[in-house]
Amino acid sequence: MTVPRAPWGTDVRADSVHPGVRISVFPSGGAPAIQDTTKRVRINRQIRISPLRVIGADGSQLGIMELDKALSMSEEAGLDLVEVAPMARPPVVRIMDYGKYKFEMAKQARQARKKQHVIELKEVKFRPGIDDHDFDTKTKHARRFLEEKNQVKVTMMFRGRQVAHPELGQAVLEKVAAALADVGKVQTMGRLEGKSMTMILTPK
């Protein structure tokens, strides 16, 4: 049976970061989690439609038959009659151990969550006229994030009349991009929004 895929989830994990560094987590293009939808599966007397295409416990095709006959066969085998393709015409059911089926679906869901890749967008904040020490410290954080294959949002924060001179902030952003050119590339460069200017770096 094909296992349906769930909407992409978001796994958030905490990090210890330097002041001025913020972490946001977004789902990536990695393997999405598989959602256990077995609670919505109709079994045994919950199945109302007849006739049905029946698959045996061993995977063999038993043909099209009335619901009562299919139920009798599953009961005689000590198993369940499980609807596996309700949208088919006629619907497809399978004789199986439903408890074991649910266990396998839950196991697949756990394995998928373990494999799920998470991209982190980490933010590092600067200000125009930042001193060399703070610049170096925050740039080192950004470098580590890029080396860990995360995206980095570099935010230039303006105060008061500083916003009237966006070229000062732009110069700092360009300096950051140049300092990290060996590990990251500019995806979005210096957009002024209100009292801040942002630049997005992606790992090489």
Side-chain angles (χ1 to χ4, degrees):
M1 174 182 175
T2 300
V3 182
R5 290 188 174 186
W8 293 10
T10 300
D11 295 336
V12 179
R13 61 176 182 269
D15 277 316
S16 176
V17 297
H18 187 274
V21 178
R22 187 171 57 128
I23 301 174
S24 302
V25 181
F26 299 91
S28 78
I34 295 177
Q35 184 180 17
D36 180 8
T37 59
T38 56
K39 291 183 180 180
R40 295 197 294 270
V41 174
R42 285 188 286 268
I43 66 169
N44 300 327
R45 300 292 174 180
Q46 296 172 354
I47 301 171
R48 302 295 184 185
I49 299 175
S50 185
L52 301 162
R53 186 178 299 277
V54 183
I55 301 173
D58 59 355
S60 61
Q61 297 287 336
L62 302 182
I64 297 174
M65 63 185 70
E66 295 299 318
L67 173 60
D68 287 343
K69 183 177 179 181
L71 283 170
S72 294
M73 292 179 66
S74 65
E75 289 170 359
E76 288 174 4
L79 299 171
D80 300 294
L81 189 67
V82 181
E83 191 176 54
V84 295
M87 302 307 293
R89 289 296 175 265
V92 180
V93 296
R94 181 165 183 169
I95 298 172
M96 67 171 75
D97 182 336
Y98 184 60
K100 183 177 179 181
Y101 170 76
K102 288 203 300 182
F103 174 79
E104 291 298 328
M105 292 301 100
K107 182 179 178 180
Q108 288 186 34
R110 288 193 299 271
Q111 290 174 344
R113 284 194 293 270
K114 289 179 181 179
K115 293 178 181 178
Q116 187 175 10
H117 181 60
V118 177
I119 290 178
E120 296 182 0
L121 177 63
K122 303 199 177 187
E123 183 178 32
V124 183
K125 296 181 179 180
F126 291 78
R127 292 191 181 277
I130 185 171
D131 62 47
D132 292 341
H133 175 73
D134 284 347
F135 178 89
D136 291 342
T137 299
K138 293 189 175 186
T139 301
K140 286 179 181 178
H141 280 290
R143 174 176 291 276
R144 177 167 58 86
F145 298 152
L146 289 167
E147 289 174 344
E148 293 171 352
K149 302 303 180 183
N150 295 306
Q151 290 187 335
V152 176
K153 178 181 180 181
V154 182
T155 302
M156 178 59 54
M157 306 294 295
F158 295 98
R159 286 180 178 172
R161 296 182 181 180
Q162 288 179 339
V163 75
H165 299 282
E167 69 277 2
L168 299 178
Q170 184 71 39
V172 175
L173 293 183
E174 290 175 356
K175 185 179 178 182
V176 173
L180 299 173
D182 59 318
V183 292
K185 57 185 177 181
V186 177
Q187 177 176 299
T188 306
M189 184 64 186
R191 295 187 304 179
L192 184 62
E193 298 175 356
K195 292 187 177 181
S196 66
M197 182 181 290
T198 59
M199 175 179 68
I200 303 295
L201 298 176
T202 58
K204 282 188 172 180

